[in-house]
Amino acid sequence: MLPVLLSLSTVLTLAACSKPAPVAEAPREVVVLQAQQRDGAQALLLPAEVQSRFVTAMSFRVAGQLVERRVHLGDTVRKGQVVARLDPADAEHNAASARADLDSARQHLEAAQKQLRRDTEQARENLISAQQLEQSQDAHAAAQAQFKAAQARAAVAGNQRGYTSLLAEHDGLISAEQANTGDVLSAGQPVFSLAWSGAVDVITDVADSQVARIRPGASATVTLGALPGKSFSARVREVSPAADPQSRTYRVKVTLEQPDASLRLGMTGEVAIAPAREASAAQVMVLPATALFHQGDKPAVWIVRDGKLELRPVTVAGYGERSITLTQGVAAEDKVVVQGVHTLTAGEKVKPIAPLHAEDFAL
């Protein structure tokens, strides 16, 4: 009986010391898609916004306290309409002082004219000397110059009094407010921004990798989310020669060939621009925008290769509303992760799966 107990005790001791076999961790599931290959001659799809072609800052020509605003953000104004006023008290005092100086100068001139006429007649009869006549002529000339200077000062003072009312110089829409009632403004300080009525542009910003493919005069098509079912033919009017210092993108302005009354400033949508001819032979790959990752300041995407994740640098040629266009870095057979890219780690074991709702990643 004792040997049996010892044997059982030994088995239990060995069982307690042994560790359970590790359970293999299941690979993480990631949603992948294959990039769609397209001809580089296809139109560049870019996000766009409708803006007025001309936007000017409205400001007073003189300093003063803002006492009245007659329009607000989004209001429509007409040329010549008063939109704001400064306190006119100082300007009116200056104008009154200038008018008084002008009246005084006028009286001095009239007196000098009378004296000159008298002295001229007396000199003709040799009743006064030539020197006295010359003095009268000089006094008249000085009085005439003083009168002209007083006229100019009165005109300036009158203008400054008028400048206390801010007038709209064009028909348009108030697109921004930069000052409030009660503010003390300096001359030239903006009060409103005025978007002119009439000509509008469709604005988009492009990356440095795609700006070379856009030329002024290139054909374009504009679609807007607020106007479903409508598209507008357009032409590229202007391509900025320098990048914006903040965004490092280039501004492109597109002009509609036949503007529609239903267009409103601020509407957003997409513009398709025909690329330059020299880029037509290139092949590009298109992926959902959700696939884009950044390795430092460089764009990249996650590729599933042999069951592991690989971060691959790419060259982005264009940004669409829901897609990105690549010229380098991805091949047609590559499986690209299109969801949750900011939670992945290089070398991680994964299991690629198709999207549950493929329409969410439609290009």
Side-chain angles (χ1 to χ4, degrees):
M1 185 65 179
L2 183 60
V4 173
L5 292 176
L6 291 175
S7 177
L8 180 59
S9 175
T10 302
V11 171
L12 292 175
T13 302
L14 292 176
C17 294
S18 63
K19 296 182 179 179
V23 179
E25 186 177 351
R28 179 180 180 179
E29 293 184 345
V30 291
V31 178
V32 301
L33 280 177
Q34 289 183 318
Q36 296 183 13
Q37 188 172 13
R38 295 180 181 174
D39 192 339
Q42 282 194 321
L44 296 171
L45 298 179
L46 303 165
E49 179 181 352
V50 178
Q51 293 184 4
S52 175
R53 181 175 300 179
F54 304 105
V55 178
T56 54
M58 303 180 70
S59 57
F60 291 97
R61 300 188 186 186
V62 294
Q65 184 178 34
L66 184 62
V67 296
E68 182 182 8
R69 292 193 323 174
R70 296 187 178 181
V71 295
H72 300 280
L73 185 65
D75 288 352
T76 300
V77 299
R78 298 296 181 186
K79 182 178 180 180
Q81 179 180 342
V82 177
V83 298
R85 289 193 315 111
L86 294 178
D87 183 356
D90 290 344
E92 289 177 351
H93 292 324
N94 289 336
S97 176
R99 287 197 302 270
D101 291 343
L102 179 60
D103 291 339
S104 176
R106 182 181 292 108
Q107 291 177 358
H108 281 90
L109 178 60
E110 290 174 353
Q113 288 174 337
K114 291 177 181 179
Q115 184 64 43
L116 179 60
R117 283 196 298 268
R118 284 195 300 265
D119 289 351
T120 300
E121 292 175 358
Q122 290 178 356
R124 193 179 297 120
E125 298 175 2
N126 295 322
L127 298 177
I128 61 172
S129 65
Q131 183 180 4
Q132 186 175 349
L133 176 61
E134 185 177 346
Q135 290 175 348
S136 297
Q137 291 173 338
D138 291 343
H140 176 265
Q144 195 170 38
Q146 291 174 357
F147 176 73
K148 290 182 178 179
Q151 273 187 319
R153 288 194 297 271
V156 170
N159 288 340
Q160 290 181 332
R161 181 182 57 184
Y163 294 154
T164 59
S165 293
L166 182 59
L167 308 180
E169 297 185 356
H170 303 275
D171 293 347
L173 182 75
I174 301 298
S175 59
E177 297 175 326
Q178 287 107 346
N180 295 314
T181 302
D183 289 350
V184 177
L185 309 177
S186 58
Q189 182 176 341
V191 180
F192 301 108
S193 290
L194 178 67
W196 295 15
S197 297
V200 298
D201 283 334
V202 175
I203 307 299
T204 188
D205 296 303
V206 301
D208 53 2
S209 60
Q210 59 190 151
V211 68
R213 304 176 64 197
I214 301 176
R215 298 285 187 270
S219 61
T221 302
V222 177
T223 55
L224 301 171
L227 302 174
K230 283 189 175 183
S231 61
F232 303 90
S233 299
R235 292 278 176 184
V236 175
R237 183 174 67 85
E238 178 184 310
V239 180
S240 175
D244 180 89
Q246 300 297 326
S247 65
R248 308 308 304 169
T249 57
Y250 293 79
R251 174 60 55 92
V252 176
K253 298 181 179 180
V254 177
T255 299
L256 302 179
E257 295 181 348
Q258 294 182 344
D260 194 298
S262 58
L263 289 175
R264 294 290 183 272
L265 300 182
M267 285 184 174
T268 58
E270 194 172 62
V271 57
I273 302 176
R277 291 180 179 272
E278 57 266 26
S280 62
Q283 295 293 319
V284 297
M285 309 301 292
V286 181
L287 283 168
T290 54
L292 188 62
F293 184 80
H294 281 85
Q295 186 177 21
D297 59 349
K298 301 296 183 181
V301 295
W302 290 102
I303 304 294
V304 178
R305 185 175 181 182
D306 298 330
K308 293 183 179 181
L309 287 174
E310 173 187 321
L311 186 59
R312 186 177 300 175
V314 295
T315 300
V316 181
Y319 295 88
E321 191 172 5
R322 299 180 57 188
S323 63
I324 55 173
T325 302
L326 310 179
T327 55
Q328 292 181 352
V330 175
E333 64 275 7
D334 287 334
K335 296 179 180 179
V336 183
V337 181
V338 295
Q339 189 172 346
V341 296
H342 297 286
T343 64
L344 305 178
T345 305
E348 182 180 357
K349 291 184 178 182
V350 293
K351 176 183 178 182
I353 61 172
L356 181 62
H357 300 287
E359 63 273 11
D360 294 339
F361 300 95
L363 303 177

